[in-house]
């Protein structure tokens, strides 16, 4: 069916097939929509999802949830402000399973959505005191993804570490840190910690599955041990 949809222009259409049917008047009224992918093999109950997120989000107006298949849900809001509130609260999880949200224009085919960007507050540790600045946090954050600077930049200081809000590509393993040069003679390593992460696979560093579903673990047939894990709760 998908191939037919893509290649219909190559077909010789019958008169019935070629007679254009105007669907424009059937479009839904303007809504503000988020598409969400829940990374679990279990089918999710949309009513339970709505009851779970409702008290957490505390939106000003109501929202509706519909099922788009393959554990992809559509959240229709009455105001754009409520969407912003949800996105500012990232990351989110449902029943400990990672949930990735993205704005949805209702015109892109669901199967073309990527679900690969999520914003995290990332802590930056092991910096000398002389480098604890918002400029340093921003520079390191830009190496990870798209940085969002807060209105109050004191949010970027956490005592003896820095914090930065970054939209990262969650199709890749979490970045554990970065080799840096503090000055001409001194090199070192800064460590990253992710605030409020959902399940993290300690074998491969991905957020989209847990240890038991990891291809590295499955291919090993149980021969891997905890000492082989390159990631851990310290992230």
């Amino acid at each position: 069916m998908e191939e037919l949809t893509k290649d219909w222009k190559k077909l010789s259409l019958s008169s019935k097939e070629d007679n254009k049917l105007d669907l424009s008047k059937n479009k839904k009224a303007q809504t503000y929509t988020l598409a969400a992918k829940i990374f679990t093999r279990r089918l999710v109950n949309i009513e339970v999802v709505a009851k779970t997120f409702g008290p957490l989000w505390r939106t000003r107006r109501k929202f509706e949830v519909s099922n788009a298949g393959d554990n992809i849900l559509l959240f229709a809001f009455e105001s754009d402000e409520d969407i912003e509130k949800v996105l500012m609260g990232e990351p989110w999880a449902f029943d400990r399973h990672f949930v990735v949200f993205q704005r949805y224009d209702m015109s892109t085919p669901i199967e073309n959505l990527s679900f690969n960007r999520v914003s995290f507050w990332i802590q930056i540790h092991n910096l000398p005191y002389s480098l604890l600045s918002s400029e340093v946090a921003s520079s390191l954050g830009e190496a990870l993804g798209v940085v969002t600077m807060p209105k109050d930049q004191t949010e970027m200081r956490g005592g003896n570490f820095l914090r930065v809000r970054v939209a990262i590509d969650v199709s890749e393993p979490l970045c554990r840190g970065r080799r840096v040069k503090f000055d001409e003679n001194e090199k070192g390593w800064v460590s990253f910690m992710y605030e409020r992460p959902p399940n993290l696979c300690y074998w491969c560093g991905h957020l989209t599955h847990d240890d038991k579903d990891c291809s590295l673990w499955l291919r090993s047939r149980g021969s891997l041990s905890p000492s082989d894990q390159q990631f851990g709760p310290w992230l």
Side-chain angles (χ1 to χ4, degrees), residues 2-233:
E2 183 178 348
E3 292 300 317
L4 179 61
T5 302
K6 290 181 179 179
D7 297 335
W8 67 269
K9 292 182 180 180
K10 299 178 183 179
L11 302 176
S12 297
L13 302 181
S14 68
S15 58
K16 181 181 291 185
E17 293 169 334
D18 195 39
N19 186 18
K20 296 182 180 68
L21 179 63
D22 185 6
L23 300 178
S24 59
K25 61 184 178 181
N26 300 110
K27 283 187 176 181
K28 292 184 178 181
Q30 172 68 42
T31 57
Y32 304 92
T33 306
L34 285 176
K37 172 75 172 180
I38 302 179
F39 285 90
T40 176
R41 292 185 176 184
R42 294 190 300 105
L43 291 177
V44 297
N45 184 310
I46 63 173
E47 293 182 0
V48 175
V49 173
K51 289 180 180 178
T52 298
F53 283 130
L56 297 174
W57 292 343
R58 296 181 181 178
T59 54
R60 294 183 178 181
R61 305 177 73 174
K62 296 180 180 178
F63 65 87
E64 296 181 354
V65 188
S66 58
N67 193 346
D70 194 26
N71 281 343
I72 297 174
L73 305 180
L74 300 181
F75 292 78
F77 297 84
E78 296 180 0
S79 72
D80 192 57
E81 289 79 5
D82 284 333
I83 282 187
E84 283 298 321
K85 187 175 183 180
V86 172
L87 295 177
M88 288 175 63
E90 287 183 327
W92 295 103
F94 171 72
D95 194 23
R96 297 188 300 173
H97 299 293
F98 195 32
V99 185
V100 178
F101 288 92
Q102 68 177 74
R103 287 182 175 271
Y104 184 46
D105 60 9
M106 301 292 284
S107 61
T108 305
I110 292 291
E111 60 269 20
N112 291 347
L113 299 180
S114 55
F115 298 107
N116 62 356
R117 290 277 169 184
V118 176
S119 292
F120 282 85
W121 276 105
I122 301 174
Q123 297 180 9
I124 305 168
H125 292 263
N126 303 332
L127 284 168
Y129 191 81
S130 60
L131 291 177
L132 295 180
S133 68
S134 58
E135 291 79 12
V136 170
S138 180
S139 295
L140 286 166
E142 287 171 357
L144 300 174
V146 180
V147 172
T148 299
M149 297 295 288
K151 292 181 179 179
D152 182 3
Q153 294 193 13
T154 60
E155 292 186 67
M156 302 178 76
R157 288 290 299 268
N160 62 348
F161 62 89
L162 294 174
R163 300 170 73 240
V164 62
R165 181 79 168 168
V166 188
I168 64 172
D169 184 350
V170 294
S171 67
E172 299 179 352
L174 289 188
C175 186
R176 294 162 290 185
R178 187 72 183 270
R179 291 179 64 184
V180 296
K181 184 166 70 172
F182 297 127
D183 55 40
E184 290 299 323
N185 301 313
E186 186 178 2
K187 299 177 182 179
W189 170 266
V190 295
S191 298
F192 298 147
M193 293 182 63
Y194 296 77
E195 297 184 7
R196 295 175 47 232
N199 277 349
L200 169 65
C201 177
Y202 292 168
W203 302 115
C204 70
H206 284 86
L207 295 163
T208 52
H209 61 260
D210 58 25
D211 294 356
K212 294 180 180 179
D213 289 326
C214 181
S215 59
L216 293 177
W217 167 253
L218 295 173
R219 286 198 301 266
S220 79
R221 298 183 179 181
S223 64
L224 292 174
S225 67
S227 62
D228 297 311
Q229 294 176 340
Q230 294 289 303
F231 300 80

